[in-house]
Amino acid sequence: MKVIIVGPGALGTLIAAFLSRARAEVWLLDKNKERSRLLAEKGISVEGVSGSWQARVRASTSAEEIGPADLVIVCVKSYDTKEAVMRVKPAVAAHTMVLSLQNGIGNIEIIGEIVGSDKVLGGSTNMGATLESYGCVRHAGKGETVIGRMDGRIPVEIRSVREIFQKAGLEIRISRDIKGVLWSKLIINVGINAISALVRLANGRLTEFEGTRRVLREAVSEATRVAKRKKIKLMYDDPLAKVEAVCEATSQNISSMLQDVLNKKRTEIDFINGVVVRQGQELNIPTPVNSLLVDLVKTLESSYRVTEEKNG
């Protein structure tokens, strides 16, 4: 199987390394020429829960050079989805499946508009990965990956995706309700990411303080009301208990949004809490806490530029 992974960040790099173990032809598509050259020359170095090992992969900045793929895995930040899929589109053939393993809601729709919705798979993964440097990734935690089509069908193509992941030694299953899976993860992210980014605390500390617990509770409650109105079946009965359990289980983890803020990068707030706000407005469901979180995180993002201008 020929696989193109778009986005050599932590998750994309780790998945590329694993899939190379399954003797797949793995390519990393990157817009950074220097990074692409280093990946092609040196490969990927993995440390962590799966041991210490090396993987050889191919890398390019040109989808035309790579040619038609059997599977494309999109691992970029949600705000880069459109640009990334346009870049890989020349390698999307009639038989190609495109799998989104991204945070938030809306990526599947964006991808479908570009390559056709019949080609798109949604996915969610609990694998933990931290990028130490170009081509060096820490496998921080094992976890299941869930994939599926929005229409619930399970054609032979999706079974072949499951097979290549299994050959690579990765936990994977197919769901007939990927929308429920994605919303279940969204609600967890709604309860953790923005709050941790604003107060700059690791996940586990969010439940230690009454203030953050109260905000977490309200943000999750608003998201849950939206999901229920949309008749989305969540993977857990008690969303608040689930979010608090995730905080405890990942107590030392720094959320991806906090990492973005610390590195003065754009966040995925529009695809997480922003989804709750927009869909709440459409359904006439008030979402004041999520609206406030969106405004505050966007203010933080704007402050990067203001600070840089003052220092400059």
Side-chain angles (χ1 to χ4, degrees):
M1 179 181 280
K2 187 174 185 178
V3 183
I4 299 175
I5 296 173
V6 188
L11 181 62
T13 301
L14 183 63
I15 291 175
F18 268 100
L19 293 184
S20 70
R21 285 179 153 185
R23 298 187 178 179
E25 181 184 339
V26 181
W27 286 83
L28 279 163
L29 181 64
D30 193 0
K31 60 184 179 182
N32 184 313
K33 288 185 177 181
E34 178 61 17
R35 184 168 56 194
S36 178
R37 183 186 65 79
L38 287 171
L39 287 166
E41 288 180 0
K42 298 184 177 181
I44 298 169
S45 174
V46 181
E47 300 281 346
V49 295
S50 56
S52 178
W53 48 285
Q54 295 285 133
R56 301 297 302 178
V57 296
R58 299 168 174 86
S60 177
T61 57
S62 168
E64 290 88 348
E65 177 192 348
I66 297 171
D70 300 301
L71 173 65
V72 171
I73 305 177
V74 183
C75 294
V76 299
K77 293 287 190 179
S78 296
Y79 49 76
D80 281 334
T81 299
K82 184 175 182 179
E83 179 190 345
V85 177
M86 290 298 294
R87 195 163 65 248
V88 78
K89 188 178 179 183
V92 177
H95 69 285
T96 308
M97 299 300 293
V98 182
L99 169 63
S100 166
L101 287 179
Q102 300 167 272
N103 279 331
I105 300 291
N107 294 296
I108 293 173
E109 292 77 6
I110 294 171
I111 296 169
E113 288 175 2
I114 299 170
V115 303
S117 58
D118 60 313
K119 295 181 177 297
V120 186
L121 303 176
S124 173
T125 185
N126 290 322
M127 293 172 62
T130 304
L131 195 67
E132 306 286 356
S133 61
Y134 291 169
C136 296
V137 64
R138 174 162 293 281
H139 188 188
K142 296 181 180 180
E144 183 183 57
T145 298
V146 185
I147 63 173
R149 287 176 55 96
M150 292 297 277
D151 60 13
R153 293 192 300 113
I154 305 179
V156 64
E157 292 86 356
I158 194 171
R159 296 180 192 275
S160 66
V161 175
R162 178 177 62 185
E163 182 180 351
I164 193 70
F165 270 68
Q166 289 174 334
K167 282 184 178 178
L170 296 172
E171 293 179 57
I172 186 169
R173 68 177 172 89
I174 299 170
S175 172
R176 290 187 181 274
D177 183 18
I178 197 64
K179 183 182 287 188
V181 171
L182 295 178
W183 266 86
S184 297
K185 183 172 184 180
L186 176 78
I187 287 176
I188 292 170
N189 286 338
V190 161
I192 295 175
N193 284 27
I195 303 169
S196 68
L198 289 166
V199 298
R200 305 198 177 193
L201 292 175
N203 294 357
R205 303 213 66 198
L206 297 182
T207 57
E208 291 182 18
F209 304 97
E210 182 52 36
T212 47
R213 286 186 68 180
R214 187 164 54 247
V215 176
L216 184 156
R217 227 172 9 241
E218 291 302 318
V220 168
S221 295
E222 291 174 4
T224 302
R225 284 195 287 274
V226 171
K228 285 183 176 178
R229 182 73 64 84
K230 291 173 67 66
K231 294 182 167 54
I232 292 168
K233 182 174 173 55
L234 299 177
M235 297 170 64
Y236 35 75
D237 296 327
D238 188 335
L240 178 59
K242 178 63 177 179
V243 175
E244 291 179 338
V246 170
C247 285
E248 184 177 345
T250 62
S251 60
Q252 302 302 313
N253 287 15
I254 301 297
S255 77
S256 59
M257 197 172 292
L258 176 52
Q259 290 180 50
D260 288 338
V261 168
L262 292 174
N263 291 313
K264 296 187 176 180
K265 291 183 178 179
R266 185 179 175 185
T267 73
E268 295 178 289
I269 191 71
D270 285 328
F271 292 83
I272 301 176
N273 304 76
V275 170
V276 177
V277 174
R278 291 191 299 275
Q279 300 207 13
Q281 289 171 342
E282 292 172 9
L283 298 166
N284 292 317
I285 297 174
T287 58
V289 171
N290 280 285
S291 295
L292 181 61
L293 290 171
V294 171
D295 287 343
L296 290 174
V297 171
K298 284 184 172 291
T299 299
L300 263 181
E301 291 178 353
S302 298
S303 74
Y304 309 156
R305 184 178 64 255
V306 173
T307 301
E308 287 171 1
E309 288 173 355
K310 286 182 176 179
N311 291 339

